[in-house]
Structure formats: C-alpha cells, structure tokens
Amino acid sequence: MTSIGGAEMVDWNLAVATATRLVRPGPDVSRDEARAVVAELRRHAKASEGHVRGFTRLGTEDTHDTPVLVVDRPGWVRANVAGFRELLKPLLDKMQERRGSTPGGAVLGAVGGKVTGVELGMLLSFLSSRVLGQYETFAPATGELPAGANGGGRLLLVAPNIVHVERELDVQPHDFRLWVCLHEETHRTQFTAVPWLRDHLQGEIQSFLGETEVDPMTVLERVREAAQSLAGGRPEGEEDEGGRSIVEIVQTPAQREILGRLTAVMSLLEGHADFVMDGVGPDVVPTVAEIREKFQQRRAKGASRLDMALRKLLGLDAKLRQYRDGERFVRAVVDQVGMDGFNRVWTSPNTLPTKTEIAKPADWVARVHRKAES
C-alpha cells in the first residue's frame, strides 16, 4: 500500500505472506512422484465429468469455462484470498466509507488492515492443510490462477493434502484420488447445470454481509458476548447459547435468518456431492466402501483435541453436519421419488429445501411434488 490514506480494510498481501510463512510442509514425495500425482489427478478430474453427469442426469453447459487446477497449499491460499477479496468487496467498501468519516480513521484503518491480514493468514494456514479439493464459485482470475471467462469458477485439487490423507488412511491411492475428484466434480456440475444457482448464492451472501454491523462499538459488544458465552461467563439470566460458534454468536437476528437459508443450500450441495461420489463409486472405485468407512472415522474424531476445539470455535463442525444431514436428505428423496424427482430441487430458488426440510425430506417431497402435480 502506497499510503495510509489509501490503505485497505484488509492487507491481502500480508494475509498471503503470513499464511505462506506459517503453512505446514506437505508429505515427503520425490519430484517424479509429485509429477505423477498431479498428472493422475488431472486425468481423474476429466474422467469424473462423464461419471457424474451420467449418475446425476444433469445436463451441463460447457465446463471449459471452469478450469481444473492442481495446487499446493500456498496455491490454495492465494486462490482463496483472491476469492475472499472479490466476495467481501461490498462490505469492505461500506466499512471503508464509514472509517473515512471517523477522526483518526485512516491511521486506525491502516493498523487494523494489517492486523486483520495477519489473522486471516493464520486462519488460512490452518485450513490449507485440511482441504482436499474445492470448487471456487466466486473466483476472479489472477496472474497465476485462471478462472472462468464468463463468470464460471474454478476447481482446485490440493495435491499434498490428498496424498497426506490417503497415506494416513492407508487406502488405495488410485481409488482415493478418483473418489475425491468425483466429489469436487459434482460441485462443478451443480453450478454449470443450474445457471441461476451462482447468482442466488451470491445474492444470499451479499444480503448476509449487508446486515453486518459496521459500528465498532456494536461489533465489540457482540464479540464480548461471544467471548462470555464461549468462556461460560454469560450474564445471569441469559439463556445458554447452545454451544454455538463465535461466528454464529456475533450475528444479528436478520443474519441468522439468512444463515438458515444458506445452511440449507450448503447442506444440499455438500450432501449431494457425498451421495454422488459414493453412488458412482462401486462402478469405478472398487474400494469405495473401505474409503468411506475410514474417511468417516477421520471426520468424526478430528486430528487432535486442539483441532476439534478450533473446528468448534470457527464453526467448522457445522460444515461436517452439512455433509451428514445433506446426504441423508438426498438419499431419502431419491429413494422416494428417484433421481429425476430429486432433480426438481434445481428448478428454481423456490424448490430448494428449507433448513427444516433438510431434516424432514418427506416435507420437501410433499411441498414440491404435490404442488407440481396439482
């Protein structure tokens, strides 16, 4: 940044530098082995397109607008920083405007931007060793990371993490790599086959961010309440927060309502991907049952007590529930009305399940199918 007055609310370059410096090294592999892993992941990603389309019966647009990138941990960090910067721009612009009218706001903003950059970098360094793959829905192109030219995202496969987990689980590497690609390809298929989905999701996220309090005292008060709850120090007479994460506690009531809708959508997307990867599996992944059993055990226990505490604090345990609850929803609906019947979920935002319907699939079937048949 060239001047304090032009400082951004988040020092994105510092976030990348911090995460890159703190990121843990990947598994020990030779250069030839690394090249072989990258080549195999690219082959599996390509093969997954046909497997997923055939199983889901979702016709997709040209997926060349969504490139597949095999990256290392720093590459994943750089891609996500670019995505965060794009997605959070309206909120940060709003905060920047408010800061400009505050005495000393420029100086505080410069300091705060660096602090936030370091904090974001620390968080991304923690996550960068845990993500196997990711479909980046909101992915601006950068000098080293291409993205869809017409609003498409990009699919990331994090090679060192995939190798680390396949070794940890002691599973067949060829099968595990294809299994991971099936999951991520399902996400790419969801967004290329359902043109309105990206705009709908972006709209919900921007509504959520638009409700964010920008008054510093209000934010501090919410953080104080969050800290009290997490420490077990709630003011007398207040109800228990039910073990919610700090991310949930600092939200406004309007944000919680939006989050309910977002949670339902994300549960659907993640559960659908899990359902597809296991459904396709028996035909192309011979050891899929063993992989799923070992992977579920790993998800459930976490790597350590510290890992479990951080997952809870950051709300990552909610992500794990999305996989489980969403997969149950998809399986129940497909069992009841078949794959074509399930695919009515992609008709419009009105046919997406609510958070309540994720837990009660029969309610979604009754609402969507009876309405269509009446």
Side-chain angles (χ1 to χ4, degrees):
M1 292 173 286
T2 57
S3 65
I4 289 179
E8 294 187 74
M9 298 298 295
V10 179
D11 189 332
W12 299 105
N13 292 333
L14 184 57
V16 172
T18 300
T20 302
R21 185 174 65 253
L22 296 177
V23 69
R24 293 188 292 181
D28 186 19
V29 296
S30 67
R31 181 169 298 181
D32 288 344
E33 186 178 3
R35 288 172 177 165
V37 170
V38 170
E40 184 174 19
L41 286 172
R42 286 175 175 159
R43 291 195 302 271
H44 285 331
K46 183 63 178 177
S48 295
E49 293 181 26
H51 296 317
V52 170
R53 292 182 194 182
F55 185 82
T56 62
R57 302 178 193 173
L58 288 175
T60 65
E61 299 175 357
D62 189 354
T63 57
H64 290 107
D65 192 37
T66 54
V68 177
L69 306 178
V70 181
V71 298
D72 58 9
R73 290 169 179 174
W76 179 86
V77 168
R78 289 191 291 271
N80 276 266
V81 165
F84 282 147
R85 190 171 190 170
E86 179 78 7
L87 194 61
L88 295 177
K89 188 177 187 303
L91 171 63
L92 296 180
D93 286 347
K94 178 180 176 182
M95 296 179 72
Q96 185 106 352
E97 182 179 349
R98 172 66 66 90
R99 186 193 70 189
S101 62
T102 303
V107 175
L108 291 174
V111 175
K114 291 187 178 299
V115 171
T116 306
V118 170
E119 291 173 340
L120 177 59
M122 293 173 65
L123 173 61
L124 289 172
S125 71
F126 170 76
L127 295 175
S128 66
S129 62
R130 286 156 173 77
V131 178
L132 300 181
Q134 176 184 359
Y135 180 77
E136 278 199 291
T137 313
F138 313 104
T142 67
E144 56 186 359
L145 292 167
N150 299 312
R154 58 180 165 232
L155 194 155
L156 305 178
L157 297 168
V158 191
N161 295 349
I162 293 172
V163 172
H164 171 77
V165 173
E166 70 190 26
R167 290 179 177 179
E168 180 184 318
L169 298 181
D170 189 24
V171 293
Q172 214 284 334
H174 171 87
D175 287 2
F176 183 74
R177 294 167 192 176
L178 177 55
W179 189 69
V180 171
C181 288
L182 289 170
H183 183 100
E184 302 310 328
E185 177 58 36
T186 301
H187 286 317
R188 185 162 72 150
T189 297
Q190 290 163 348
F191 284 93
T192 54
V194 186
W196 55 264
L197 184 57
R198 181 183 184 276
D199 289 342
H200 172 73
L201 194 59
Q202 185 175 35
E204 289 281 58
I205 292 172
Q206 292 305 327
S207 295
F208 180 88
L209 295 176
E211 290 291 335
T212 299
E213 299 282 2
V214 293
D215 176 64
M217 294 307 297
T218 301
V219 173
L220 287 174
E221 178 62 21
R222 290 189 178 278
V223 171
R224 183 190 67 81
E225 293 171 1
Q228 286 181 335
S229 177
L230 291 169
R234 298 183 312 279
E236 185 176 356
E238 289 191 7
E239 295 183 0
D240 189 348
E241 292 284 357
R244 290 186 291 147
S245 72
I246 193 170
V247 177
E248 294 172 297
I249 297 168
V250 298
Q251 291 160 6
T252 67
Q255 285 178 314
R256 289 174 188 158
E257 182 179 341
I258 298 169
L259 184 67
R261 297 195 298 269
L262 278 169
T263 298
V265 175
M266 298 310 298
S267 296
L268 170 69
L269 298 179
E270 296 294 357
H272 184 234
D274 262 14
F275 177 78
V276 172
M277 72 194 296
D278 287 348
V280 172
D283 291 332
V284 297
V285 183
T287 59
V288 65
E290 176 192 357
I291 291 173
R292 169 56 71 186
E293 181 180 2
K294 290 183 175 180
F295 196 74
Q296 288 292 82
Q297 291 172 356
R298 181 181 185 274
R299 268 184 183 171
K301 69 180 182 181
S304 65
R305 294 186 66 181
L306 175 61
D307 185 73
M308 294 177 70
L310 286 170
R311 287 191 333 193
K312 178 62 183 176
L313 178 65
L314 298 172
L316 300 180
D317 55 339
K319 176 79 166 178
L320 300 182
R321 289 196 299 271
Q322 288 173 5
Y323 287 106
R324 182 191 65 220
D325 298 344
E327 195 275 340
R328 288 176 181 170
F329 170 83
V330 176
R331 185 174 300 280
V333 172
V334 172
D335 285 346
Q336 189 169 346
V337 296
M339 185 62 75
D340 291 335
F342 165 78
N343 281 340
R344 289 190 185 180
V345 78
W346 312 116
T347 303
S348 75
N350 293 328
T351 57
L352 291 172
T354 65
K355 190 175 179 180
T356 300
E357 289 170 339
I358 287 289
K360 297 180 179 179
D363 289 358
W364 178 87
V365 172
R367 175 173 68 87
V368 173
H369 282 262
R370 287 178 185 171
K371 182 177 181 180
E373 293 164 3
S374 60

